[in-house]
Amino acid sequence: MLRLPRFEVATPKTVGEAIARLAEAGPSAMVIAGGTDLLPNLKHELFTPELVVSLSAIEALRGVRVEDDGTLAIGAMTTLAEVAASELVQKHAPVLAQAASLVAGPQLRTMGTLGGNVLLDTRCQWYNQTYFWREALGFCMKKDGTKCHVVEGGKKCVAAASNDSAPALMTLGSLLEFEGPSGRRTQAIDDFWLADGIYNKKVAHAELLTEIRIPPTGPGHRGAYGKLRERGSIDFPLLGVAARVDVVAERITRADVVVTALAAQPKRIARVADVLVGVAARGEELDRAIEAVAASAAKQCNPLANIPGDHEWRKAMVPVFVRRTLRAAVDGNGPVHGD
Ligand SMILES: Cc1cc2nc3c(=O)[nH]c(=O)nc-3n(C[C@H](O)[C@H](O)[C@H](O)COP(=O)(O)OP(=O)(O)OC[C@H]3O[C@@H](n4cnc5c(N)ncnc54)[C@H](O)[C@@H]3O)c2cc1C
Ligand code: SF4
């Protein structure tokens, strides 16, 4: 049985108090939200904090609301189950409701939060292992070692961004609200990621993600999420595809596709809008346009052997999932499962 290491736990009741505890303790302190990723990682000795600051008692961080201008605001501690079941999210941001509904399994979605999902550590089959397992292999660059087992001689960690909410939030043009020792800041999710699997996010120590803000989506907004995984009931994505298609007067007015679980950051497929905008939302013209985007995505995506699942097979699944997910978005359906 894997045991948790010893650490102190603080349960502040306000954001200010939490930031103060984190800042005071320095790098030896970590944040815990639902704990569904952090606790396994602590058991694997991937992190060894002396203090863990829980956000569970901060009521201000929970809930979903629509503001007067149509912005959808979701507190970082809102659980994934709540996000998936929220009628507001389903109406204004269907791709996010679908992505949240496919994270892990029901128990993990009941505890796991949207904020924790955005801030999920990158994953790699050589890293998400016990200390004993990693030691037998001589560790790796992301933790305790110097080499990479995925890219021989590689100088940069390529552990995979594996959070299902990230591509969905990117197609929605979301903003992340942070609060930290230097005050508040707003960060566009598109610019939040770093191409570094060791740490792939622009967030400083003691900064808390407080809210996820989704700009107004119009009545013609549609979105869908597609997910390839080994076991449909629980697993992390082997490939995640978020598709956005806005349709006005039966024509596509906006389109976007973002994929994840390839490398350290989610990837926006280039030239999707060029191909799809202006196309009729049904018929042969649409079929051809979707095929063109799927073929282009296949060329743009090169999964690495960083997470389980044969990477050649994952590559072959890119056009399949882009095609199916775009089709589901246009038709107002989804999510797209595959295992
Ligand atoms: C078996 C299994 C299957 C899983 N499958 C999936 C999957 O399919 N897809 C997927 O995306 N995830 C999956 N997960 C991971 C996890 O359950 C989810 O990503 C979940 O959303 C994490 O949220 P949490 O609240 O539990 O985060 P935690 O584990 O509490 O925290 C995760 C990270 O975020 C930081 N953090 C959390 N909240 C904040 C905040 N507000 N401000 C600053 N930092 C913060 C923590 O310090 C930590 O580094 C799986 C986990 C398990 C165990
Ligand atoms: S890609 Fe995997 S093996 Fe390579 S350094 Fe990163 S975690 Fe380690």
Side-chain angles (χ1 to χ4, degrees):
M1 186 175 72
L2 291 175
R3 292 183 187 281
L4 280 171
R6 289 196 167 273
F7 49 81
E8 191 193 336
V9 179
T11 314
K13 294 215 163 33
T14 65
V15 168
E17 212 186 311
I19 293 167
R21 285 302 304 265
L22 287 161
E24 184 192 22
S28 69
M30 288 191 80
V31 174
I32 190 167
T36 60
D37 193 58
L38 188 71
L39 293 177
N41 289 351
L42 295 184
K43 289 183 175 180
H44 286 170
E45 298 179 55
L46 297 171
F47 306 105
T48 48
E50 287 168 21
L51 171 68
V52 171
V53 176
S54 168
L55 306 183
S56 60
I58 308 179
E59 281 306 316
L61 294 180
R62 293 180 193 275
V64 180
R65 65 179 195 284
V66 175
E67 296 180 346
D68 291 345
D69 70 349
T71 296
L72 182 67
I74 307 175
M77 284 297 287
T78 310
T79 67
L80 294 163
E82 288 163 346
V83 170
S86 162
E87 287 180 10
L88 292 176
V89 181
Q90 288 169 6
K91 180 175 168 202
H92 294 270
V95 63
L96 178 62
Q98 292 181 19
S101 79
L102 295 187
V103 171
Q107 296 92 336
L108 292 155
R109 291 193 293 273
T110 303
M111 284 304 291
T113 64
L114 182 59
N117 194 259
V118 171
L119 288 152
L120 187 76
D121 191 16
T122 54
R123 294 185 64 80
C124 175
Q125 55 189 332
W126 311 100
Y127 167 75
N128 294 100
Q129 304 287 354
T130 62
Y131 184 90
F132 176 76
W133 195 104
R134 292 184 293 112
E135 184 183 35
L137 222 74
F139 300 111
C140 81
M141 256 188 308
K142 185 160 159 74
K143 178 69 182 156
D144 300 322
T146 54
K147 57 190 169 194
C148 178
H149 305 293
V150 175
V151 181
E152 212 181 312
K155 297 274 176 282
K156 209 164 196 181
C157 169
V158 291
S162 303
N163 33 359
D164 286 297
S165 69
L169 289 169
M170 285 174 69
T171 62
L172 293 161
S174 308
L175 301 171
L176 306 176
E177 296 293 333
F178 285 95
E179 200 166 329
S182 334
R184 295 178 186 198
R185 70 179 175 98
T186 303
Q187 162 84 60
I189 194 166
D190 281 2
D191 305 323
F192 182 53
W193 314 106
L194 299 165
D196 182 355
I198 293 180
Y199 198 68
N200 74 337
K201 300 162 197 69
K202 294 179 192 165
V203 56
H205 177 72
E207 266 195 322
L208 291 184
L209 175 61
T210 54
E211 194 167 78
I212 295 95
R213 296 175 67 77
I214 298 170
T217 49
H221 171 79
R222 300 173 191 176
Y225 191 67
K227 178 164 174 172
L228 174 70
R229 52 181 168 177
E230 278 177 358
R231 296 167 298 178
S233 55
I234 194 163
D235 280 325
F236 280 94
L238 299 180
L239 174 69
V241 179
R244 172 187 191 147
V245 180
D246 291 7
V247 177
V248 176
E250 293 297 313
R251 293 226 165 245
I252 296 173
T253 56
R254 181 170 174 170
D256 193 12
V257 174
V258 180
V259 298
T260 198
L262 302 175
Q265 52 184 346
K267 181 182 179 67
R268 169 161 286 117
I269 301 301
R271 296 179 296 282
V272 171
D274 295 349
V275 177
L276 280 169
V277 169
V279 168
R282 66 178 72 175
E284 285 179 16
E285 190 191 7
L286 175 68
D287 297 345
R288 280 195 300 274
I290 289 180
E291 278 314 313
V293 172
S296 166
K299 287 190 189 139
Q300 293 178 49
C301 296
N302 292 301
L304 299 162
N306 45 7
I307 54 173
D310 178 74
H311 61 288
E312 293 294 338
W313 173 66
R314 284 163 54 219
K315 182 166 173 69
M317 288 298 106
V318 170
V320 176
F321 272 73
V322 168
R323 181 188 307 122
R324 288 182 189 167
T325 311
L326 264 175
R327 173 67 63 186
V330 176
D331 294 345
N333 292 329
V336 175
H337 301 259
D339 47 24

